[in-house]
């Protein structure tokens, strides 16, 4: 959650950063007006409390002198009633501010480029050369249907559109990729965790999915439980409402989970193939660290995910997202985009974000810094989206006869 005290102290400099991330003038005006009213009512409450303190002292003096205290006591009672009413107003305004703050995104870091969409993202580095083919490369869904690897009709029959059944070598590749990614991340120092695939509303609020993205979530009827949209939710919330006693070294975590999203805002994009599904597998990286460690941790997580792609022989590039393309909770994000020969373009396969103390404030994750409790910084990133990695292997390793080679790194897992 955005720091309300920071907004209160420095609203004018923070507002343009929020606007660059798509926050409307109307919402900012509403927030500013609510702040002004809150400060005014709080000042009024403090004045009444000051009067109460003064009158209480006067009452004590009159009592010691043995003088008449009736009129002064009546004043105190009347002022006490005013205080109670003023406290109700302040509490109501605090609640409104909190609820509104939950809908405000994390302000972008100062070094994030300004922009409104992906066209203005900044390419940082290209890694490995895209392969050259002596034939026109096919898209993964063409290859998958011809080989009997991808069964879209039965996916729809069992569930609905945007579900798929993986068969034959595709099913084996999916499992091999999950194990390969987890083993790789463990070598990089990330502790493997097995998690619930359901999370409650407190956990989803802590990482920023609620209340803003409720329409994208699958909810369990009559339960405060949702199918997780990403392992970021349960991994980060392992430390929800806790004070970590020793955080000299960052906590590094990795987990495989299926992920579930309604893709309500995707419209007609990627309706063919398995690029955008309601259910997909992902291996996640999460780090929890001190504020001064988080920028270095971001680079470490990007290097870890990039090294995975290098080992799989998949050409990709690193891209710094502009303000308008940043996610709700992210202050800074570096995407990895993999080359898909069938599409003839790069597509996102990993998104690694530093959320600074935004999630920590919502989820109340702190660490002991001497005698003080301070908010941690949290980071998260895909390592990788397994289905998209399968797509990339199918398209980059296809042969002229329609068969698909297996990357050397996966041979031991197959």
């Amino acid at each position: 959650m955005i720091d309300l005290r920071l907004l209160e102290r420095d609203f004018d400099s923070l507002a343009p950063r929020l606007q660059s991330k798509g926050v409307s003038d109307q919402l900012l005006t509403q927030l500013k007006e609510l702040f002004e009213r809150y400060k005014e009512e709080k000042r009024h409450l403090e004045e009444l409390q000051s009067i109460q303190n003064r009158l209480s002292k006067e009452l004590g003096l009159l009592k010691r002198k043995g003088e008449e205290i009736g009129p002064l006591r009546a004043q105190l009672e009347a002022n006490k009633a005013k205080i109670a009413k003023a406290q109700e107003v302040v509490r109501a305004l605090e609640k409104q501010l909190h609820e509104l703050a939950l809908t405000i995104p994390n302000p972008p870091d100062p070094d994030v480029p300004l922009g409104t969409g992906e066209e203005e993202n900044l390419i940082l580095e290209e890694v490995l050369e895209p392969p050259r083919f002596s034939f026109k490369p096919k898209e993964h869904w063409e290859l998958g249907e011809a080989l009997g690897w991808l069964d879209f009709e039965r996916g729809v029959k069992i569930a609905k559109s945007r579900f798929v059944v993986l068969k034959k070598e595709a099913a084996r590749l999916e499992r091999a990729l999950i194990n390969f990614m987890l083993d790789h991340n463990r070598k990089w120092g990330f502790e493997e965790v097995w998690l619930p695939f359901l999370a409650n509303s407190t956990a989803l609020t802590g990482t920023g999915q609620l209340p803003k993205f409720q329409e994208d979530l699958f909810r369990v009827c009559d339960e405060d439980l949702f199918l997780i949209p990403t392992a970021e939710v349960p991994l980060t919330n392992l430390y929800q409402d806790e004070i970590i006693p020793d955080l000299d070294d960052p906590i590094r975590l990795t987990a495989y989970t299926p992920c579930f999203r309604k893709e309500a805002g995707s419209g007609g994009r990627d309706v063919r193939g398995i690029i955008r599904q309601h259910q997909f597998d992902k291996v996640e990286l999460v780090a929890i660290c001190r504020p001064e460690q988080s920028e270095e941790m971001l680079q470490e997580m990007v290097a870890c995910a990039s090294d995975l792609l290098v080992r799989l022989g998949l050409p990709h590039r690193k891209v710094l997202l502009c303000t308008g393309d940043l996610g709700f909770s992210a202050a800074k994000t570096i995407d990895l985009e993999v080359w898909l020969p069938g599409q003839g373009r790069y597509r996102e396969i990993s998104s690694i974000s530093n959320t600074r103390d935004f999630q920590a404030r919502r989820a109340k994750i702190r660490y002991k810094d001497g005698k003080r409790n301070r908010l941690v910084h949290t980071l998260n990133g895909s390592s990788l989206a397994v289905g998209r990695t399968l797509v990339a292997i199918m398209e980059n390793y296809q042969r002229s006869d329609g068969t698909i080679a297996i990357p050397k790194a996966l041979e031991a897992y197959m």
Side-chain angles (χ1 to χ4, degrees):
M1 188 169 70
I2 192 166
D3 187 349
L4 290 173
R5 290 172 302 175
L6 179 61
L7 262 178
E8 187 175 0
R9 285 196 309 268
D10 203 8
F11 185 93
D12 289 339
S13 68
L14 205 55
R17 291 166 62 194
L18 292 170
Q19 285 171 321
S20 73
K21 211 168 170 184
V23 179
S24 67
D25 292 342
Q26 182 183 359
L27 185 56
L28 285 170
T29 301
Q30 182 185 354
L31 187 62
K32 188 169 187 178
E33 288 174 352
L34 192 57
F35 254 124
E36 292 303 321
R37 193 177 158 209
Y38 168 72
K39 286 193 287 187
E40 186 181 329
E41 294 295 342
K42 198 172 180 185
R43 273 196 302 268
H44 177 56
L45 173 61
E46 288 167 354
E47 286 168 5
L48 291 172
Q49 289 169 332
S50 177
I51 290 168
Q52 194 76 355
N53 290 336
R54 178 174 55 78
L55 293 177
S56 296
K57 288 177 183 175
E58 289 178 15
L59 184 70
L61 284 171
L62 291 177
K63 277 184 177 179
R64 285 196 292 275
K65 290 179 181 178
E67 296 181 10
E68 172 63 34
I69 61 171
L72 192 54
R73 190 185 290 279
Q75 268 186 274
L76 270 165
E77 290 300 318
N79 197 64
K80 187 178 178 182
K82 289 179 183 177
I83 288 173
K85 193 174 288 186
Q87 284 173 332
E88 282 181 25
V89 172
V90 168
R91 274 195 294 267
L93 289 170
E94 281 176 344
K95 185 182 177 186
Q96 286 181 53
L97 269 174
H98 179 77
E99 289 173 352
L100 189 59
L102 287 175
T103 69
I104 303 291
N106 197 359
D109 281 355
D111 62 341
V112 172
L114 289 172
T116 57
E118 61 182 57
E119 300 81 12
E120 292 156 292
N121 293 339
L122 181 64
I123 298 170
L124 301 174
E125 182 185 4
E126 292 187 354
V127 183
L128 302 182
E129 285 286 327
R132 295 180 180 178
F133 296 91
S134 59
F135 56 93
K136 184 183 178 185
K138 295 178 180 177
E139 295 202 43
H140 72 279
W141 55 266
E142 296 176 89
L143 294 161
E145 286 184 322
L147 291 167
W149 285 18
L150 307 179
D151 192 333
F152 296 102
E153 287 184 11
R154 287 185 171 90
V156 173
K157 181 169 70 174
I158 295 166
K160 63 175 186 176
S161 62
R162 294 191 191 261
F163 285 89
V164 69
V165 175
L166 301 183
K167 300 167 75 174
K168 300 182 180 178
E169 303 304 34
R172 293 184 64 204
L173 260 175
E174 187 88 356
R175 177 161 53 90
L177 282 167
I178 292 165
N179 288 328
F180 172 66
M181 290 176 190
L182 289 171
D183 288 347
H184 173 87
N185 294 342
R186 286 179 60 245
K187 288 174 186 173
W188 273 71
F190 290 84
E191 179 188 350
E192 186 177 342
V193 184
W194 189 264
L195 298 159
F197 301 158
L198 293 162
N200 58 37
S201 59
T202 301
L204 285 152
T205 301
T207 42
Q209 282 76 21
L210 287 177
K212 187 171 177 62
F213 301 106
Q214 184 158 344
E215 66 173 14
D216 287 325
L217 301 172
F218 287 98
R219 183 168 189 169
V220 179
C221 290
D222 303 320
E223 291 267 9
D224 181 29
L225 287 172
F226 299 79
L227 291 168
I228 59 169
T230 165
E232 165 200 340
V233 177
L235 277 177
T236 306
N237 279 282
L238 289 172
Y239 294 89
Q240 176 202 122
D241 201 14
E242 289 188 21
I243 299 168
I244 302 167
D246 181 11
L247 197 59
D248 288 341
D249 293 320
I251 296 170
R252 298 171 174 86
L253 305 170
T254 187
Y256 152 72
T257 66
C259 305
F260 305 88
R261 299 179 191 175
K262 289 184 180 178
E263 297 289 356
S266 65
R269 289 183 295 162
D270 299 312
V271 291
R272 301 201 75 168
I274 60 172
I275 290 285
R276 198 177 298 275
Q277 297 278 285
H278 292 308
Q279 175 187 323
F280 59 96
D281 291 325
K282 185 152 68 82
V283 173
E284 187 79 359
L285 297 173
V286 160
I288 296 171
C289 62
R290 291 171 173 260
E292 64 272 17
Q293 298 168 328
S294 66
E295 184 60 32
E296 184 179 344
M297 195 68 235
L298 176 68
Q299 300 305 323
E300 181 182 326
M301 291 166 72
V302 170
C304 178
S306 177
D307 190 40
L308 257 178
L309 290 167
V310 169
R311 290 176 186 276
L312 290 169
L314 294 174
H316 60 283
R317 64 187 187 184
K318 301 173 186 177
V319 179
L320 178 63
L321 299 195
C322 70
T323 53
D325 208 24
L326 277 179
F328 180 80
S329 297
K332 183 176 183 178
T333 297
I334 295 174
D335 273 6
L336 299 183
E337 296 179 347
V338 70
W339 175 253
L340 298 183
Q343 292 190 19
R345 59 181 289 206
Y346 286 96
R347 295 298 301 268
E348 178 204 328
I349 196 168
S350 175
S351 195
I352 301 167
S353 299
N354 189 347
T355 76
R356 304 293 178 187
D357 61 10
F358 185 81
Q359 291 180 331
R361 185 172 287 103
R362 296 168 77 107
K364 300 177 184 173
I365 307 173
R366 294 142 291 168
Y367 72 99
K368 186 67 72 176
D369 183 21
K371 293 184 178 179
R372 295 175 57 206
N373 296 330
R374 296 182 63 194
L375 291 169
V376 302
H377 278 196
T378 63
L379 302 95
N380 61 77
S382 320
S383 172
L384 304 159
V386 182
R388 293 193 178 195
T389 310
L390 175 62
V391 166
I393 288 171
M394 291 172 71
E395 294 199 11
N396 281 276
Y397 282 86
Q398 61 181 295
R399 301 186 181 111
S400 59
D401 62 359
T403 58
I404 296 164
I406 301 299
K408 262 200 168 315
L410 295 179
E411 287 177 1
Y413 293 87
M414 297 289 285

